[in-house]
Amino acid sequence: MGKNGKRIITILLAGCLIAVALPRTVDLDQLYAASGTSDISTATDLRQTLLTAMSQRTEELVFTYKGNVKGLKKQLQTSIDEAMKSDPYIQYTVKSYAFNYKGSNVSAEVHVTLSYRETKEQTDYVNRKVTNVLKEIIKPGMTDHEKVKVIHDWIVLNLSYDTSLKKYTAYDGLVTGSTVCQGYSLLAYRMLERVGIDNRIVEGTAGGQLHAWNIVNLDGKWYHMDTTWDDPTLTAKVRLAIAIIC
């Protein structure tokens, strides 16, 4: 995944790329138009608000929490973790986050700041590109096994490993042609998800360093799929470098 990979996994508190420049604030009046309130008082509402903000790549989020403020710090941390883990693409796209709040024992104004490795516009590009590629490579009547194979083969033939260790996203891979293992895994996740194949991004080690790849559920069994290591364009020298730094 790269020499800075260990700092971006799970908590993702420090990374290599520059944060999106201009902050946006989510419109909670619009977000909660259906319920008629912008106040948050349940764990479910809190988690959904955070997930919506992350999906929109919102960088600054302000809302009023009404409830037991004494336990709010733990609840915020739990809700952020749960929101991220509910969508692996978001989990590995969030670069950093922080939060603070102030108020009384029963009400608090909460401020959450987030930064991302991929902008909303870049993610939209990934989604459009994935849709177009899948239209070309997925044929009627294909089994799930065949779908996984053609997706795997398209990725390894169209991406190359970023030896500069500066590209971490699916967008980087599609636009520049190269990315590190995290970008390979994100693109594989999105493509497999779009054709209804249950899959996850998992972490482990290669050469003693952190590495990421996918596991895929086929016929009720989980299989490992590592598009980084399977890339036929990798030279022996690059493979050795990946083993050392990814």
Side-chain angles (χ1 to χ4, degrees):
M1 178 173 295
K3 60 184 177 183
N4 291 321
K6 63 181 68 179
R7 293 182 292 174
I8 61 172
I9 296 301
T10 306
I11 301 299
L12 304 170
L13 289 177
C16 300
L17 302 187
I18 298 173
V20 181
L22 298 177
R24 298 189 295 261
T25 301
V26 66
D27 186 346
L28 285 180
D29 290 334
Q30 182 178 1
L31 183 62
Y32 282 94
S35 62
T37 178
S38 61
D39 294 335
I40 296 174
S41 58
T42 69
T44 299
D45 286 345
L46 181 55
R47 182 171 58 254
Q48 186 57 50
T49 297
L50 291 163
L51 180 58
T52 299
M54 292 173 186
S55 298
Q56 296 174 346
R57 302 300 188 265
T58 300
E59 294 180 355
E60 292 187 356
L61 176 63
V62 181
F63 58 88
T64 300
Y65 176 84
K66 292 189 175 181
N68 181 14
V69 175
K70 183 178 180 181
L72 183 55
K73 180 179 180 180
K74 181 178 180 181
Q75 184 59 64
L76 280 167
Q77 184 63 66
T78 298
S79 296
I80 289 172
D81 291 342
E82 290 178 351
M84 290 171 60
K85 290 177 181 178
S86 70
D87 186 332
Y89 199 93
I90 288 177
Q91 180 181 2
Y92 286 86
T93 300
V94 172
K95 178 182 177 182
S96 66
Y97 65 82
F99 60 82
N100 62 76
Y101 55 89
K102 60 181 178 179
S104 66
N105 291 332
V106 295
S107 179
E109 183 180 83
V110 179
H111 293 248
V112 182
T113 59
L114 301 123
S115 67
Y116 306 89
R117 294 184 173 277
E118 196 174 82
T119 68
K120 178 66 164 59
E121 293 72 22
Q122 289 172 340
T123 299
D124 289 343
Y125 173 87
V126 171
N127 291 335
R128 291 193 302 271
K129 181 66 174 180
V130 164
T131 297
N132 291 335
V133 170
L134 291 175
K135 286 180 180 179
E136 295 177 3
I137 65 175
I138 301 298
K139 307 301 180 182
M142 273 188 170
T143 66
D144 284 350
H145 289 263
E146 292 170 331
K147 292 176 183 177
V148 170
K149 184 180 186 304
V150 295
I151 288 172
H152 167 279
D153 291 352
W154 191 91
I155 292 172
V156 301
L157 292 175
N158 285 275
L159 297 188
S160 62
Y161 190 79
D162 172 36
T163 55
S164 73
L165 308 177
K166 295 180 179 179
K167 304 173 186 178
Y168 285 85
T169 68
Y171 177 83
D172 289 328
L174 290 173
V175 172
T176 72
S178 66
T179 184
V180 296
C181 56
Q182 181 169 306
Y184 277 82
S185 301
L186 281 165
L187 182 57
Y189 172 82
R190 180 61 87 217
M191 294 181 75
L192 291 167
E193 176 200 39
R194 285 300 174 88
V195 297
I197 305 295
D198 189 16
N199 77 104
R200 304 284 187 273
I201 297 174
V202 296
E203 306 156 21
T205 59
Q209 300 298 320
L210 287 176
H211 181 55
W213 64 97
N214 302 82
I215 56 172
V216 182
N217 192 321
L218 291 170
D219 301 326
K221 296 182 179 180
W222 288 96
Y223 298 87
H224 293 267
M225 186 179 85
D226 193 331
T227 48
T228 306
W229 276 101
D230 292 345
D231 193 332
T233 64
L234 295 181
T235 64
K237 183 178 180 180
V238 173
R239 287 183 184 278
L240 178 60
I242 294 174
I244 294 173
I245 61 181
C246 187

